[in-house]
Amino acid sequence: MHKLQAAITAVHGYAPDYILTNHELEALVDTNDEWITTRTGIKERRILKGEGTATSDLAVPAVNGLLEKRGISAEEIDLIIFCTTTPDMPFPATANILADKIGAKNAWGYDLQAACSGFVFGLATGAAFIESGKHQKVLVVGGDKMSSIIDYQDRATCIIFGDGCGCALLEPNTEGYGVIDSVLKSDGSGREFLNMKAGGSLRPATHQTIDAREHYAFQEGKTVFKFAVTNMANVAAEIMERNNLVANDVAWLVPHQANKRIIDATANRMGINEEKVVINIERYGNTTNGTIPLCLWEWESKFKKGDNIVLAAFGGGFTWGSLYLKWAY
Ligand code: UT7
């Protein structure tokens, strides 16, 4: 018998129906399909339309699909970790709102804010609750309604982001499957390059902050790119070295989907062929906390029991991290 580990036992996802194409963006800002495709790899992204819809509405169908697949009821969930940068409200936590909407009456929960690294941080945190023996069923959700904080007059950001959500269920495993290791990092001095300037305690909402368009995501793309390309690759290489993995041992790299060029650089550094790299950025863009769980959901049928999978992410903060797991089913 192996030590107690946290295994992913089900994944699911949800992407809203509306497709925002590069061609549609050409009508909104000074950009073009060729520039977006070659610089980012993105062709289209999904947008959650409708008054009164929020990030939790992306999570409800994702989680209900997961529960049905696993054959369990929402009442069996012990803990919900909701990784998001676009909570329904500053408080209460979207984890609480989700629990109410799906009927997870016995769960406690909280939101985890680590921008695009959120889902990796969330899986590592959720795994610790399983490894400690404290909980049996931990639901880790990663989702964002990025369209709620995107300025569709800013070509530096509006071409990148989209809406979407995915989730994973963690359960105890003593057969050697599940989360083996993680490397998690942050550096708050990077906050000036990727942020939302107003709406927090530093700059509460005023007419002035609204006029200055400070309630939208801001990114200094070139600087973030430089940090992302180095750090995401470093942390993916570090987790391989720490666990004595060579490229042939890795079945899949599941990277955060921010830019196809960053993904390619990470895969090159790991020595991994393109066929082993999970990429859906062309269809969803950057869904922030949603990218990695959406990838897991879409590739679920290709994963085999025992596959070594490496997750890697980089995001605002700066935050970055990698996680190594053995697929359990
Ligand atoms: O997920 C969280 C972490 N985020 C990331 O990892 C994102 C990292 N950054 C990036 O992916 C890239 O920096 C971007 C995709 C955001 C931008 O690509 P870039 O190759 O760094 O472009 P750039 O900002 O250096 O701009 C190059 C040129 C500029 O024109 P000049 O000065 O060379 O004449 C820009 O004005 O492209 C211009 N440009 C655009 N042109 C058409 C910038 N945005 C656009 C646009 N359409 N949307």
Side-chain angles (χ1 to χ4, degrees), residues 18-77:
Y18 188 86
I19 297 174
L20 176 60
T21 62
N22 288 351
H23 293 296
E24 193 177 340
L25 286 167
E26 286 173 3
L28 300 176
V29 289
D30 180 15
T31 191
N32 57 78
D33 175 50
E34 206 257 329
W35 191 96
I36 302 172
T37 307
T38 52
R39 297 289 177 125
T40 69
I42 303 167
K43 290 302 251 182
E44 57 191 43
R45 55 298 289 137
R46 301 298 183 94
I47 303 294
L48 181 63
K49 295 273 184 182
E51 272 297 305
T53 58
T55 297
S56 65
D57 297 309
L58 295 167
V60 169
V63 174
N64 282 337
L66 178 146
L67 296 174
E68 197 183 321
K69 210 186 259 180
R70 185 74 185 108
I72 61 167
S73 80
E75 291 179 1
E76 291 177 60
I77 300 168

Side-chain angles (χ1 to χ4, degrees), residues 2-6 130-134 171-174 179:
H2 291 256
K3 70 177 171 113
L4 180 61
Q5 288 177 173
I130 299 277
E131 289 157 10
S132 72
K134 176 113 181 138
E171 295 186 75
N173 186 290
T174 50
V179 177

Side-chain angles (χ1 to χ4, degrees), residues 30-31 35 39-40 116 155 159-160 194 219 221-222 224-225 228 256 258-259 261-262 286 314-315:
D30 180 15
T31 191
W35 191 96
R39 297 289 177 125
T40 69
C116 296
R155 71 175 182 173
I159 55 126
I160 298 169
L194 182 49
Q219 175 168 253
K222 229 192 244 298
V224 177
F225 186 91
H256 170 53
N259 187 314
R261 290 181 288 148
I262 299 172
N286 182 348
F314 183 91

Side-chain angles (χ1 to χ4, degrees), residues 2-9 123 127 130-131 169-182 243 305-311 323-329:
H2 291 256
K3 70 177 171 113
L4 180 61
Q5 288 177 173
I8 293 180
T9 55
L123 269 188
I130 299 277
E131 289 157 10
L169 185 68
L170 291 171
E171 295 186 75
N173 186 290
T174 50
E175 292 167 355
Y177 302 106
V179 177
I180 314 276
D181 194 14
S182 59
N243 293 280
K305 190 170 180 175
D307 274 357
N308 288 321
I309 300 182
V310 173
L311 315 182
L323 186 139
Y324 162 40
L325 61 87
K326 259 190 199 299
W327 198 248
Y329 59 98

Side-chain angles (χ1 to χ4, degrees), residues 134-275:
K134 176 113 181 138
H135 290 315
Q136 303 297 305
K137 287 185 173 51
V138 175
L139 179 69
V140 184
V141 183
D144 276 295
K145 185 186 173 189
M146 290 306 291
S147 60
S148 66
I149 58 164
I150 291 302
D151 182 353
Y152 288 94
Q153 294 180 18
D154 177 14
R155 71 175 182 173
T157 51
C158 74
I159 55 126
I160 298 169
F161 293 98
D163 302 340
C165 181
C167 52
L169 185 68
L170 291 171
E171 295 186 75
N173 186 290
T174 50
E175 292 167 355
Y177 302 106
V179 177
I180 314 276
D181 194 14
S182 59
V183 178
L184 310 173
K185 312 233 182 203
S186 63
D187 175 1
S189 69
R191 66 189 178 280
E192 65 183 284
F193 305 112
L194 182 49
N195 59 37
M196 191 168 101
K197 298 198 178 346
S201 55
L202 179 66
R203 285 177 71 70
T206 61
H207 286 293
Q208 197 189 5
T209 61
I210 289 168
D211 290 345
R213 308 183 83 77
E214 290 179 348
H215 295 270
Y216 292 120
F218 163 83
Q219 175 168 253
E220 200 180 293
K222 229 192 244 298
T223 312
V224 177
F225 186 91
K226 276 188 206 144
F227 277 91
V229 89
T230 326
N231 287 315
M232 199 163 117
N234 281 351
V235 93
E238 186 179 339
I239 207 152
M240 285 176 70
E241 277 159 31
R242 251 162 71 148
N243 293 280
N244 301 313
L245 296 172
V246 294
N248 271 345
D249 300 324
V250 178
W252 301 98
L253 165 66
V254 184
H256 170 53
Q257 314 278 308
N259 187 314
K260 173 80 164 52
R261 290 181 288 148
I262 299 172
I263 296 172
D264 291 345
T266 304
N268 279 342
R269 179 74 191 283
M270 295 167 76
I272 298 218
N273 298 335
E274 215 177 333
E275 317 85 72

